[in-house]
Amino acid sequence: MTPDEFRQAGHQLIDWIADYRRQIESRPVKAQVKPGEVAAALPAEPPAGLATIDDLLADLDRVVVPGAFLAQHPMHYGWFPSNASLASVLGDIASSGLGTFGISWESCPALTEVEEVVVDWLRQLTGLSDAWHGTIHDTASTACLVALLAARERATDHSQARGGLSTHGSAPVVYATAQSHSSVRKAALLAGYGSDHLRIVADVPVTRALDVADLRRAMAADVAAGRTPAAVVATVGTTGTTAVDPITEVVAAAAEHGAWVHVDAAMAGSAMLLEEYRPLWEGVEGADSLSWNPHKWMGTILDTSLFFVRDVQHLVRVMSTNPSYLQSNADGEVVQYRDWGIPLGRRFRALKLWFHLRLDGVDAIRDRIRRDLANANWLEEQVTAAPDWELVAPVTLQTVCVRHRPAGVTGDALEAHTAAWCDAVNDSGRAYVTRSQLDGSWMVRVSIGVEQTERHHVEALWELMQQAAAKTAAP
Ligand SMILES: *Cc1c(COP(=O)(O)O)cnc(C)c1O
C-alpha cells in the first residue's frame, strides 16, 4: 500500500469509525452470537487474491460488529468502563502510522521522552510527589508482576544473581485479601513465590477493606516460622465492590518487616484526578510501587496502564539486560524503558495519552468523572429508597452493587432470582450489567462510567432492572 492509497482508504476507515460511534446506541450492547459463529463467517483457508477497503469495511459490518460486545455503548454497565476516547484513538493511529519501535532510547528518542513527560503529567494530575517515576505497561496485571519481581529480589537480596529462589534460605511471602484482583494471585505464582506463600489476609465486614490486625498477625507468624514478608498488594478500588484498603496502616505494618507495598488502583486511579477523592489513597507516598489504568474509566484506549516506582535503581537492577547490540553512547544519560519491565520492544503508547489529554482536555475529563460519580450516587439513592432492593456494599466510587430481595424469597430461590433478572437485562440487548459473587452469594454490579453514559441512560437502566426483577419474581 502506497501512502496515497493509504490516504484514500484511511479516510474511508475514519468515516466508518465515526459512523459506528455515532450510531452505537442503536445496536445491542451484548454480542448476539453463539460460540463459533464469528469464526464460521470467515473463510477457513487463507485469502488468495486482493480485497479492497470496501470489502473489508463490509466484513467489519457483517462479521465483526455483530460479534463485538459494545464497550463504548452508553448502556454498558458491565465489568468496568473500558473507554476508548476518540482523541486517544487518533493518538493510537499516529503511533501506528509513525511505525517507530522502542528497544532503546536511541531506537526512538521521542518515544522515550514523550513517555517520560506525559507519565509525569499524570503523576502531577493525580497529586503524587516527584519521588515517583513512571512508565506505561500494557496492563495492571503486568505491573503487578513487575512489582512482585522487584519485591522478591529486595526480600532475597537479589537471589536471581545467585542460585535463585530455590537456594535462598527464607521463603518470601506475599499478602493480599480475597477481594484483590485475580492478577495478584497470578503474579505471585508466576514470580515463583508459590501458592503456599500467598497469604489471603482477612477483610473487614461491610467495607471489605484489608484487616490490618490480621495482616500483622500473618506477618509475625511467617517471621516466627523463618519466612520473609516480601510484599503486600493493597487495592484502592477492588474489582468486586470498589473496596479501599487502608494504605497508611498497610505501609506501617509492611515497614516493620521491610516488605514492599504495591498499590493496585487499576480502576480507582482515574478518580485520583479529582482532589476530593485523594483521601482514598492517603498514605500512598509510603508505598514502593503503584499502578492504575487510564484505559479504564479515564478513557485512553487500551493498552495504557501506568506503573510508578520510587526506587528506579532497584527496579532497573532487577529488570535490566544490556546486550552489546543495544549499547550506545547515550547510555547513562537517558532512560531505557526496556529495563523497567518485561518486553524489549515497545510501542509509542504515550501518544494515546498525549492526544487524549490535549484534545479532550483535563477539565473535561475531570467533569466527566464527576458526572459518573454523581450518577452512581443517584442510583444508590433509588436502590436505597426502593422496597425489596438492597445495596450489597457501600458505594465508594462509581460501582453500585445490588440485590433484589422480594419478600419470602431466600436461599437458592434468591440466587436463582438474581441470576434470572440479571440475564433478562443482559439478554434484552438494551443494557449490560455483571453478575458477581460476594461471600458465595450472587449480586449484580452496575459499573457506571462509559464516556457516553448520561443520567437518562442510568434512569433507563434502573427502569429496566425493576421491570426485569418484577417479571422474573412473578410466580
Ligand atoms: C481491572 C483491574 C485489574 C486488571 O487490569 P488489567 O489491566 O486488565 O490487567 C487489576 N486490578 C484491579 C483492581 C482492576 O480493577
Side-chain angles (χ1 to χ4, degrees):
M1 182 173 268
T2 66
D4 282 327
E5 289 165 348
F6 174 81
R7 186 193 314 280
Q8 215 206 327
H11 283 151
Q12 279 180 259
L13 176 63
I14 297 285
D15 282 343
W16 184 91
I17 295 171
D19 288 341
Y20 166 76
R21 288 292 187 99
R22 209 182 42 202
Q23 295 159 8
I24 199 164
E25 213 170 330
S26 63
R27 301 178 189 277
V29 186
K30 182 183 159 189
Q32 310 282 305
V33 291
K34 294 188 180 52
E37 220 173 300
V38 174
L42 295 169
E45 297 79 36
L50 284 183
T52 64
I53 185 71
D54 296 292
D55 297 333
L56 288 178
L57 296 179
D59 280 351
L60 286 180
D61 284 323
R62 181 179 64 89
V63 181
V64 175
V65 172
F69 178 93
L70 304 190
Q72 310 309 316
H73 195 297
M75 294 295 280
H76 157 43
Y77 305 94
W79 310 291
F80 49 80
S82 182
N83 286 317
S85 74
L86 288 170
S88 71
V89 171
L90 287 176
D92 211 22
I93 294 173
S95 166
S96 298
L98 279 165
T100 54
F101 76 126
I103 55 172
S104 64
W105 176 85
E106 201 160 54
S107 74
C108 185
L111 185 154
T112 299
E113 295 190 13
V114 173
E115 183 164 330
E116 284 184 86
V117 169
V118 172
V119 169
D120 196 65
W121 289 347
L122 280 147
R123 174 190 68 73
Q124 295 175 52
L125 288 169
T126 50
L128 295 170
S129 79
D130 61 9
W132 293 97
H133 303 278
T135 186
I136 306 173
H137 284 326
D138 54 359
T139 61
S141 303
T142 300
C144 187
L145 175 58
V146 171
L148 291 189
L149 291 169
R152 184 193 74 193
E153 291 308 297
R154 195 170 82 180
T156 63
D157 192 23
H158 293 271
S159 66
Q160 67 176 8
R162 303 184 307 276
L165 261 192
S166 62
T167 57
H168 186 76
S170 167
V173 182
V174 177
Y175 306 81
T177 74
Q179 305 302 318
S180 67
H181 192 264
S182 57
S183 57
V184 176
R185 178 175 182 81
K186 188 167 183 170
L189 300 190
L190 290 176
Y193 291 86
S195 96
D196 289 352
H197 301 128
L198 172 62
R199 296 277 167 273
I200 301 304
V201 177
D203 53 76
V204 176
V206 185
T207 68
R208 306 281 158 177
L210 181 145
D211 179 342
V212 181
D214 195 51
L215 172 66
R216 287 178 178 278
R217 267 195 300 277
M219 286 178 151
D222 281 320
V223 171
R227 295 181 286 262
T228 307
V232 186
V233 180
T235 308
V236 176
T238 59
T239 308
T241 66
T242 59
V244 177
D245 292 340
I247 307 298
T248 304
E249 288 85 351
V250 167
V251 163
E256 289 172 22
H257 301 284
W260 186 281
V261 176
H262 176 64
V263 174
D264 175 6
M267 175 66 205
S270 299
M272 301 306 139
L273 293 165
L274 309 181
E275 212 174 332
E276 65 270 28
Y277 276 82
R278 290 184 202 149
L280 287 182
W281 74 5
E282 198 175 337
V284 71
E285 293 290 332
D288 296 281
S289 58
L290 96 94
S291 72
W292 69 276
N293 289 350
H295 70 226
K296 284 184 166 169
W297 191 6
M298 183 176 123
T300 310
I301 187 172
L302 265 163
D303 44 352
T304 314
S305 186
L306 298 176
F307 178 62
F308 291 94
V309 288
R310 295 176 78 90
D311 188 349
V312 174
Q313 254 187 323
H314 173 76
L315 180 69
V316 168
R317 185 168 166 201
V318 175
M319 292 286 160
S320 84
T321 51
N322 202 15
S324 58
Y325 74 99
L326 290 176
Q327 292 166 10
S328 82
N329 296 335
D331 291 356
E333 286 172 59
V334 296
V335 165
Q336 301 289 12
Y337 277 131
R338 68 170 181 270
D339 295 339
W340 293 48
I342 294 163
L344 169 59
R346 52 201 294 113
R347 310 197 305 122
F348 203 153
R349 291 197 188 99
L351 285 177
K352 298 189 280 195
L353 275 169
W354 190 28
F355 273 53
H356 188 196
L357 293 174
R358 297 292 284 126
L359 291 175
D360 279 353
V362 176
D363 290 344
I365 294 170
R366 285 181 163 143
D367 286 348
R368 182 168 57 71
I369 289 171
R370 285 198 179 95
R371 174 203 66 181
D372 299 337
L373 290 157
N375 282 342
N377 275 335
W378 179 86
L379 182 61
E380 175 188 10
E381 284 165 17
Q382 310 311 306
V383 171
T384 308
D388 297 345
W389 287 84
E390 65 182 21
L391 286 175
V392 177
V395 179
T396 29
L397 291 166
Q398 43 54 265
T399 304
V400 185
C401 299
V402 304
R403 215 175 268 135
H404 180 245
R405 193 191 281 273
V409 180
T410 54
D412 288 349
L414 181 60
E415 299 297 310
H417 173 59
T418 305
W421 73 257
C422 181
D423 289 349
V425 169
N426 293 345
D427 291 343
S428 76
R430 289 171 55 203
Y432 194 90
V433 291
T434 305
R435 219 194 310 153
S436 171
Q437 275 187 329
L438 190 65
D439 302 331
S441 187
W442 289 109
M443 54 115 169
V444 172
R445 285 170 74 256
V446 179
S447 180
I448 296 169
V450 172
E451 195 181 4
Q452 302 303 324
T453 304
E454 300 291 346
R455 176 65 56 85
H456 71 90
H457 293 109
V458 184
E459 289 169 0
L461 173 71
W462 175 229
E463 255 321 294
L464 190 59
M465 286 164 61
Q466 290 173 289
Q467 284 166 11
K471 208 178 284 172
T472 55

